[in-house]
């Protein structure tokens, strides 16, 4: 039983005949072609047949999907639009004896979504030879058999269909038998052995014949079997089935050994001739692995898996034979009913990942395809995703869904979404399945940098080193990568006419601000700069912040004595009336300090004086007062050395000399140049003079002083020396004239004190404090000793003048 090959010319003609597209309505297309075509063979140009642009197939992600759970048998050439064979197609294995073998495929295009059904009609070719079930057919025929007795022979099986299946039988020429070919329901042919001449067992007890089955293909194929006839006595009754057709219904996935149906046949003969056995007649190997037939009882049971999705019905021929080989036939039809045993399957056809966070609501993210292998209600599927997500599933064509956005996305709030898609069928009970889709959100530069504080304050000690760190500023940007990378810079501007870049610099990466130069608190105490934080996005976003820099004072300035002014060889002299009582204000030392705070808190100390017990100075006011009443024994010329100290750490100081003349008028004053006595006189000389005066005139001086005091009280009213000495504005540096009291010199200490030019006696003028810090320069006496002498000679006598306010 060999197979005959098909000629190349015949196959080419066959392919040319069938490779014609069969168009159908609604954009569907059908193709008919023979089985066993080579992989890559062109079936047709589907782009042309559907009116599609071949150049757009790649952009629209054209692809061939399967319908249900079938395999994909064809591919599409995205360049030409040709539909080609993807896998070997064996029509006989796929469709068996079915007249029509149609494979369902789908052409899917995106942007927009478009679906076309493709029907592949696979045509049979004569690639299978007829085969008999057995190699030898054994028959026992009674020698008494009458001429014309018929004996049914086994049917030859050909996997092909139609004209390519078995079409004829031939019997080897012999002298006893002829062959009768008959047709069964459904068009299948079988043969009967007809006794044409009576048998003579004594002449031939065994006869061997060769039976050949021929198909109708081009070229033809054939198969043979040997008929071994044993001559016996006659068996004149064949078994008879109780039904010509048996029908049964069976749900899929039944338990093994489930009884489907029991067939029954009877034989009127007795003994061996009446013993009936049952067999499947012309059953495929696949069916034989599913059902089993008990040869003696006729009971048909399930022995293999039954899947409705693979086969929805079975049709088999059953033969009943008696002991001598007479047979009859019956048809068994088993209908398989669907059971909801297949959960929906979710296919993610396409996904835009990541998706930009500025995607507008309604943007299509992906395409979902849901399939269920069951039928009817068991095939109906509902698809959904979890709540509280800015996405939804929108039903599209057939069993396709579009995954679209429903709201605004914000990567800074949620950067990744785990979307669980759940598909549930409408079976009873329903089955469901789920698929998780990981979707990332791509960043957009939609957040400017934000500073941690609304404004920054920095304190920097003066006399700092250039490059010293002033402060650190930080801005946060919740965007990702370059969109969230912050770069710092100074906003261009001026401070007191100087660019801010001359004062400060900022590290673009860390935000640390450094001093470019050394600062002097006495030049300026604070200033403001603006720092810009800019991200690296496109376009970049930025924000500003104000940084206030306060310079902290350091005690780097010594006190400056404004009065008396130690300039050149000039000196200032104050007249002290002889009638001055203890506690009277005679003069004032005024000093300022360019520093501030405790560095400018000044204290005044008399470090040396002509008479240690005569004058005292206010610790913080600098006011020089008498500690006791002036006596006649007191020296007319008094020299005080005053030290002014600030309160800094360490403390800085300055000293000045104050010259006082105890006299009521200038006529009594000797030559003023003697006032500046030698500071280096030895203390021993002073002590000797004091001791001598004290011993010789102690008693006399005491009486004279008492009388003088009484006489002065009767003669003059008490002079009030509680005023203050005025200091001209020429002694005040511009940066010390402050109205807010921040510095060390206050406006309440501005007074007038001067010597009259028309009298040789000293006159004091006490006036109220000036409201501003500027006084005429000519209201203060600044004379050399020669000037004093000239004025004493040219002045006219005038009564003392007292103005008090």
């Amino acid at each position: 039983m060999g197979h005959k090959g098909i000629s190349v010319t015949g196959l080419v003609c066959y392919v040319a005949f069938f490779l014609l597209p069969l168009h159908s309505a609604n954009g569907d297309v059908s193709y008919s072609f023979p089985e066993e075509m080579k992989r890559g063979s062109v079936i047709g140009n589907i782009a042309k047949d559907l009116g599609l642009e071949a150049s757009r197939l790649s952009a629209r992600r054209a692809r061939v999907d399967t319908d249900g759970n079938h395999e994909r048998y064809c591919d599409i050439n995205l360049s030409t639009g040709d539909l080609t064979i993807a896998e070997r197609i064996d029509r006989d294995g796929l469709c068996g004896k079915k007249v029509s073998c149609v494979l369902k495929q789908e052409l899917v295009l995106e942007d927009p979504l478009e679906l076309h059904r493709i029907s592949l009609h696979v045509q049979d070719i004569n690639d299978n030879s007829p085969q008999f079930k057995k190699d030898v057919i054994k028959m026992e025929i009674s020698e008494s058999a009458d001429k014309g007795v018929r004996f049914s022979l086994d049917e030859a099986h050909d996997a092909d269909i139609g004209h390519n299946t078995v079409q004829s039988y031939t019997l080897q020429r012999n002298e006893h038998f002829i062959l009768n070919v008959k047709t069964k329901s459904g068009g299948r042919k079988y043969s009967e052995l007809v006794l044409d001449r009576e048998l003579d067992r004594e002449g031939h007890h065994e006869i061997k014949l060769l039976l050949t089955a021929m198909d109708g293909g081009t070229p033809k194929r054939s198969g043979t079997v040997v008929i071994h006839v044993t001559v016996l006595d006659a068996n004149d009754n064949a078994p008879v089935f109780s039904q010509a057709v048996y029908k049964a219904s069976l749900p899929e996935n039944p338990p093994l050994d489930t009884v489907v149906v029991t067939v029954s046949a009877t034989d009127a003969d007795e003994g061996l001739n009446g013993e009936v056995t049952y067999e499947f007649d012309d059953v495929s190997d696949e069916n034989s692995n599913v059902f089993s037939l008990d040869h003696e009882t006729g009971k048909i049971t399930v022995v293999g898996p039954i899947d409705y999705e693979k086969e929805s019905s079975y049709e088999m021929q059953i033969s009943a034979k008696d002991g001598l080989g007479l047979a009859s036939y019956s048809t068994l039809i088993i209908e398989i009913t669907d059971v909801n045993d297949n959960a929906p399957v979710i296919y993610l056809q396409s996904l835009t990942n990541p998706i930009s966070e500025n995607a507008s609501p309604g943007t299509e993210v992906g395409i979902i395809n849901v399939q269920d292998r069951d039928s009817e209600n068991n095939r109906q599927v509902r698809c959904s995703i979890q709540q509280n997500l800015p996405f939804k599933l929108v039903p599209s064509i057939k069993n396709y869904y579009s995954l679209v956005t429903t709201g605004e996305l914000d990567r800074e709030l949620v950067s990744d979404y785990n979307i669980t898609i759940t598909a549930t069928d409408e079976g009873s009970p329903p089955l469901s399945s789920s698929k998780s889709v990981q979707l990332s959100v791509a960043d957009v530069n939609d957040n400017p940098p934000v500073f941690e504080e609304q404004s920054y304050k920095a304190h920097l000690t003066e006399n700092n080193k250039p490059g010293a760190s002033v402060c650190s500023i930080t801005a946060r940007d919740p965007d990702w990568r370059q969109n969230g990378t912050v770069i710092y810079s100074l906003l261009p501007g001026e401070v007191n006419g100087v660019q801010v870049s001359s004062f400060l610099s900022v590290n673009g990466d860390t935000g640390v601000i450094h001093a470019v130069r050394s600062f002097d608190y006495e030049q300026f105490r604070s200033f403001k700069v603006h720092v810009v934080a800019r991200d690296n996005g496109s376009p970049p976003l930025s924000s500003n912040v104000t940084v206030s820099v306060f310079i902290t004072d350091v005690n780097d300035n010594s006190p400056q004595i404004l009065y008396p002014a130690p300039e050149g060889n000039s000196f200032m002299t104050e007249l002290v009336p002889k009638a001055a009582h203890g506690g009277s204000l005679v003069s004032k030392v005024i000093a300022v300090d360019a520093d501030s705070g405790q560095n400018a808190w000044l204290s005044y100390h008399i470090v040396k004086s002509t008479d240690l017990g005569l004058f005292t100075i206010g610790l913080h006011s600098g006011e020089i007062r008498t500690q006791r009443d002036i006596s006649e024994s007191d020296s007319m010329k008094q020299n005080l050395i005053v030290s002014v100290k600030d309160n800094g750490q360490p403390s800085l100081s300055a000293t000045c000399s104050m010259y006082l003349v105890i006299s009521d008028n200038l006529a009594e004053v000797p030559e003023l140049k003697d006032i500046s006595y030698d500071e280096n006189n030895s203390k021993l000389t002073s002590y000797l003079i004091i001791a001598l005066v004290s011993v010789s005139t102690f008693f006399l001086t005491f009486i004279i002083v008492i009388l003088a005091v009484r006489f002065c009280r009767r003669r003059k009213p008490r002079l009030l020396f509680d005023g203050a000495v005025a200091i001209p504005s020429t002694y005040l540096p511009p940066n010390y004239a402050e109205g807010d009291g921040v510095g060390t010199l206050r406006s309440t200490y501005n007074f007038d004190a001067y010597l009259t030019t028309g009298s040789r006696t000293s006159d004091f003028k006490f006036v109220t404090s000036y409201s501003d810090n500027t006084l005429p320069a000519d209201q203060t006496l600044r004379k050399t000793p020669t000037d004093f002498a000239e004025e004493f000679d040219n002045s006219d006598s005038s009564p003392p003048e007292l103005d008090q306010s």
Side-chain angles (χ1 to χ4, degrees):
M1 295 181 293
H3 296 275
K4 296 181 180 179
I6 302 175
S7 66
V8 175
T9 306
L11 180 58
V12 170
C13 295
Y14 199 85
V15 171
F17 176 78
F18 284 106
L19 283 182
L20 296 175
L22 305 177
H23 295 278
S24 61
N26 300 323
D28 298 339
V29 65
S30 299
Y31 293 93
S32 179
F33 59 93
E35 65 176 327
E36 302 294 345
M37 290 184 70
K38 292 184 179 180
R39 182 179 300 176
S41 300
V42 177
I43 299 173
N45 192 295
I46 193 170
K48 180 179 179 182
D49 297 334
L50 292 176
L52 302 173
E53 296 180 14
S55 59
R56 289 277 299 156
L57 294 178
S58 178
R60 296 185 65 184
R61 300 181 184 177
R63 60 186 178 275
V64 176
D65 286 347
T66 62
D67 186 8
N69 64 327
H70 297 114
E71 296 181 6
R72 182 169 55 85
Y73 294 105
C74 60
D75 283 328
I76 183 172
N77 188 319
L78 297 180
S79 300
T80 64
D82 289 335
L83 198 64
T84 60
I85 296 295
E87 297 290 341
R88 171 182 173 270
I89 300 177
D90 182 10
R91 193 213 68 82
D92 308 308
L94 291 175
C95 301
K97 291 295 184 179
K98 293 180 179 179
V99 176
S100 176
C101 184
V102 181
L103 304 179
K104 299 294 184 180
Q105 308 280 283
E106 293 177 346
L107 175 63
V108 180
L109 299 101
E110 298 182 13
D111 190 26
L113 179 62
E114 190 174 346
L115 180 67
H116 298 278
R117 291 187 293 271
I118 305 173
S119 298
L120 304 179
H121 296 263
V122 183
Q123 304 297 331
D124 182 56
I125 65 173
N126 191 25
D127 60 340
N128 293 283
S129 299
Q131 290 184 342
F132 288 92
K133 188 174 181 181
K134 300 178 181 178
D135 294 334
V136 178
I137 300 175
K138 293 182 179 181
M139 300 181 65
E140 294 179 347
I141 303 176
S142 174
E143 65 177 353
S144 61
D146 296 335
K147 180 182 178 180
V149 175
R150 300 169 183 269
F151 302 92
S152 178
L153 299 177
D154 290 343
E155 180 184 353
H157 174 69
D158 194 329
D160 299 321
I161 64 170
H163 196 67
N164 294 328
T165 191
V166 177
Q167 298 295 321
S168 64
Y169 293 88
T170 60
L171 184 64
Q172 177 186 356
R173 182 178 293 274
N174 66 91
E175 60 183 12
H176 291 285
F177 297 94
I178 61 174
L179 193 65
N180 183 30
V181 179
K182 302 185 72 175
T183 303
K184 292 183 179 181
S185 60
R188 291 185 301 160
K189 296 181 181 298
Y190 70 97
S191 60
E192 293 179 341
L193 192 64
V194 181
L195 184 62
D196 187 57
R197 181 181 177 185
E198 292 81 5
L199 296 174
D200 183 6
R201 183 179 179 279
E202 287 72 21
H204 301 284
H205 69 279
E206 287 184 347
I207 300 174
K208 292 184 178 180
L209 305 172
L210 183 64
L211 178 64
T212 302
M214 302 287 293
D215 62 23
T218 302
K220 295 180 180 297
R221 289 175 177 266
S222 65
T224 60
V225 67
V226 175
I227 303 174
H228 186 189
V229 179
T230 302
V231 181
L232 298 174
D233 288 333
N235 179 24
D236 55 354
N237 289 287
V240 179
F241 279 98
S242 60
Q243 296 177 216
V245 177
Y246 290 89
K247 293 184 178 181
S249 179
L250 184 68
E252 65 174 325
N253 305 323
L256 297 180
D257 298 328
T258 298
V259 177
V260 180
V261 69
T262 300
V263 298
S264 176
T266 60
D267 194 312
D269 295 326
E270 294 181 356
L272 182 62
N273 294 332
E275 293 179 1
V276 179
T277 58
Y278 304 94
E279 290 183 357
F280 284 123
D281 182 39
D282 187 27
V283 65
S284 65
D285 293 337
E286 182 180 355
N287 291 345
S288 64
N289 293 329
V290 177
F291 300 101
S292 175
L293 173 60
D294 191 305
H295 299 293
E296 296 180 355
T297 63
K299 184 182 296 184
I300 299 173
T301 57
V302 177
V303 295
I306 298 178
D307 188 356
Y308 173 85
E309 286 69 43
K310 293 181 65 177
E311 198 71 43
S312 61
S313 66
Y314 294 89
E315 182 176 342
M316 295 169 286
Q317 293 288 332
I318 301 174
S319 66
K321 294 183 179 181
D322 61 19
L324 297 181
L326 293 180
S328 61
Y329 302 92
S330 179
T331 301
L332 172 62
I333 299 175
I334 303 175
E335 296 290 341
I336 307 299
T337 58
D338 184 41
V339 173
N340 190 28
D341 60 341
N342 291 282
V345 181
I346 303 172
Y347 298 97
L348 181 62
Q349 300 293 354
S350 65
L351 180 67
T352 302
N353 192 15
I355 181 173
S356 177
E357 65 175 319
N358 64 351
S360 59
T363 300
E364 185 177 78
V365 177
I367 297 177
I368 310 298
N369 177 246
V370 183
Q371 299 181 7
D372 195 311
R373 297 173 56 195
D374 296 318
S375 63
E376 298 180 354
N377 288 342
N378 297 333
R379 188 186 182 93
Q380 301 301 316
V381 178
R382 290 176 286 104
C383 201
S384 63
I385 62 175
Q386 70 266 39
Q387 301 294 322
N388 302 324
L389 289 181
F391 302 95
K392 70 176 180 179
L393 285 177
V394 178
S396 186
I397 304 173
K398 198 179 177 182
N399 51 353
Y400 284 84
Y401 294 83
S402 294
L403 179 64
V404 300
T405 60
T406 60
E408 300 289 344
L409 303 178
D410 189 349
R411 190 205 68 84
E412 288 69 47
L413 295 178
V414 181
S415 60
D416 294 281
Y417 289 94
N418 186 2
I419 304 173
T420 301
I421 303 171
T422 303
T424 306
D425 61 29
E426 294 185 1
S428 180
L431 298 179
S432 64
S433 61
S434 61
K435 185 179 185 67
S436 294
V437 177
Q438 295 290 338
L439 185 63
S440 299
V441 181
D443 185 49
V444 173
N445 190 27
D446 56 351
N447 290 280
V450 177
F451 286 95
E452 291 183 347
E453 299 181 18
Q454 293 182 351
S455 62
Y456 289 85
K457 294 182 179 180
H459 295 271
L460 180 64
T461 303
E462 66 172 328
N463 304 326
N464 58 286
K465 293 182 178 180
S469 175
V470 178
C471 68
S472 177
I473 60 175
T474 303
R476 307 291 183 185
D477 193 321
D479 291 323
W480 195 45
R481 289 187 176 174
Q482 70 270 14
N483 293 335
T485 301
V486 180
I487 299 175
Y488 304 92
S489 62
L490 286 176
L491 192 66
E494 293 184 352
V495 177
N496 293 341
V498 180
Q499 292 294 327
V500 295
S501 57
S502 299
F503 293 122
L504 300 174
S505 66
V506 61
N507 189 305
D509 297 327
T510 63
V512 177
I513 298 177
H514 298 275
V516 175
R517 49 169 286 182
S518 178
F519 292 96
D520 187 358
Y521 174 85
E522 286 69 44
Q523 290 185 0
F524 53 89
R525 302 181 180 183
S526 65
F527 60 91
K528 293 182 179 180
V529 297
H530 298 281
V531 179
V532 180
R534 180 179 291 102
D535 59 31
N536 253 344
S538 180
L541 300 178
S542 62
S543 59
N544 300 345
V545 73
T546 300
V547 180
S548 299
V549 181
F550 298 93
I551 309 302
T552 303
D553 184 45
V554 172
N555 191 31
D556 58 346
N557 290 279
S558 299
Q560 182 178 352
I561 299 175
L562 303 181
Y563 184 84
E567 296 183 3
N569 296 323
S570 64
F571 61 90
M572 302 193 67
T573 304
E574 298 286 352
L575 293 181
V576 180
K578 295 181 178 180
H581 295 280
S584 298
L585 175 65
V586 297
S587 186
K588 179 178 178 65
V589 176
I590 298 177
V592 294
D593 196 312
D595 296 318
S596 66
Q598 68 176 8
N599 295 329
W601 295 349
L602 303 181
S603 59
Y604 300 84
H605 308 274
I606 296 177
V607 297
K608 189 174 183 181
S609 64
T610 304
D611 190 343
L612 292 177
L614 182 57
F615 299 101
T616 184
I617 191 169
L619 180 63
H620 299 295
S621 63
E623 295 176 347
I624 300 176
R625 297 178 180 272
T626 57
Q627 290 193 82
R628 55 179 176 78
D629 294 343
I630 300 296
S631 65
E632 294 293 338
S633 62
D634 291 327
S635 173
M636 179 182 294
K637 296 178 293 183
Q638 295 287 334
N639 183 19
L640 303 179
I641 297 178
V642 177
S643 173
V644 182
K645 297 182 179 179
D646 60 26
N647 199 36
Q649 295 294 330
S651 177
L652 300 178
S653 63
T655 60
C656 67
S657 296
M658 176 67 72
Y659 302 99
L660 302 177
V661 177
I662 300 176
S663 176
D664 289 333
N665 54 69
L666 291 177
E668 301 176 355
V669 180
E671 189 175 348
L672 291 177
K673 64 181 180 180
D674 296 335
I675 252 175
S676 180
Y677 59 86
D678 187 6
E679 293 291 341
N680 296 322
N681 288 338
S682 119
K683 290 184 179 181
L684 179 58
T685 304
S686 300
Y687 292 152
L688 291 174
I689 295 173
I690 293 172
L692 179 61
V693 172
S694 299
V695 172
S696 62
T697 61
F698 172 76
F699 181 76
L700 180 61
T701 301
F702 178 76
I703 297 299
I704 293 173
V705 169
I706 292 176
L707 295 176
V709 170
R710 289 184 178 179
F711 177 78
C712 289
R713 286 181 179 177
R714 292 178 182 177
R715 207 179 150 187
K716 292 183 179 181
R718 181 182 299 270
L719 294 178
L720 301 179
F721 294 98
D722 294 333
V725 180
I727 304 301
S729 61
T730 53
Y731 293 147
L732 300 177
N735 57 329
Y736 293 102
E738 305 177 23
D740 56 359
V742 178
T744 56
L745 178 62
R746 306 182 68 89
S747 60
T748 53
Y749 291 119
N750 296 333
F751 301 97
D752 283 338
Y754 57 89
L755 294 177
T756 61
T757 58
S759 174
R760 300 181 69 89
T761 59
S762 65
D763 295 332
F764 278 81
K765 181 178 181 181
F766 297 91
V767 296
T768 57
S769 302
Y770 292 99
S771 60
D772 53 39
N773 299 325
T774 304
L775 297 177
D778 58 352
Q779 292 186 0
T780 301
L781 178 63
R782 301 181 64 204
K783 299 287 186 176
T784 62
T786 307
D787 295 333
F788 273 116
E790 291 176 357
E791 289 210 5
F792 290 163
D793 294 337
N794 299 328
S795 62
D796 298 330
S797 298
S798 62
E801 180 178 346
L802 177 63
D803 292 334
Q804 181 177 357
S805 60

